[in-house]
Amino acid sequence: MIITEIKQLQLMCEEVKTIKEGEEIGAQLLKELTESDNGIGLAANQIGINKRVCVINVKEPIVLINPRIVEQSEEQFMFAEGCLSFPFLFLSINRPKWCSVRYTDQHGKEIEETLHGMSARIFQHENEHMNGY
């Protein structure tokens, strides 16, 4: 079930301690995202788990455990964003065009990659959820 309680969504998420825990949360997120009508990203606190795990699904689903932005572009673009926690609200938001992200995947592999376009936008949105914004 997607959380809509703003006070719960404003809590800063804690880091995941084990890959197994991150993998289990990632599986729950993917299941919830698959069951949603139009979701393409979801953070763990949106399903009531206060941990730094999120999923994005643009071309293929990606589970990001303890993700951090390490660099991002200065150039930005505006786009109307929606959110599964607030399904009838769409806001035009400026975000960096790309961001480099460091995370662990659900197999325990440390990854650093640069996300562009919609993938960057979705990750930044989910990252804000994990940071309690």
Side-chain angles (χ1 to χ4, degrees), residues 2-123:
I2 303 291
I3 301 297
T4 58
E5 173 58 45
I6 199 148
K7 287 187 179 195
Q8 188 169 357
L9 294 170
Q10 289 177 325
L11 297 173
M12 174 79 88
C13 289
E14 301 171 3
E15 287 203 351
V16 171
K17 301 295 184 203
T18 68
I19 299 306
K20 182 172 176 48
E21 179 185 25
E23 180 183 337
E24 290 170 357
I25 294 169
Q28 291 176 40
L29 288 168
L30 288 171
K31 180 181 183 296
E32 191 71 43
L33 193 60
T34 301
E35 293 173 358
S36 74
D37 288 335
N38 57 359
I40 51 178
L42 194 61
N45 60 340
Q46 288 181 273
I47 62 168
I49 302 170
N50 197 35
K51 296 291 183 170
R52 287 194 64 80
V53 181
C54 69
V55 296
I56 60 175
N57 188 6
V58 176
K59 296 176 184 170
E60 63 182 298
I62 302 171
V63 175
L64 300 96
I65 300 169
N66 296 329
R68 298 277 183 230
I69 294 175
V70 293
E71 187 179 6
Q72 59 191 22
S73 70
E74 291 183 26
E75 186 178 6
Q76 301 199 357
F77 73 106
M78 185 175 285
F79 190 82
E81 292 183 17
C83 180
L84 291 173
S85 289
F86 307 101
F88 302 108
L89 180 65
F90 290 87
L91 299 173
S92 292
I93 298 175
N94 267 328
R95 293 201 188 274
K97 281 189 164 189
W98 59 265
C99 61
S100 292
V101 180
R102 186 174 297 136
Y103 65 95
T104 304
D105 72 9
Q106 70 270 29
H107 307 293
K109 183 177 179 185
E110 296 289 325
I111 295 176
E112 184 170 327
E113 69 177 307
T114 301
L115 303 173
H116 297 272
M118 192 57 74
S119 294
R121 177 168 286 282
I122 296 164
F123 171 72

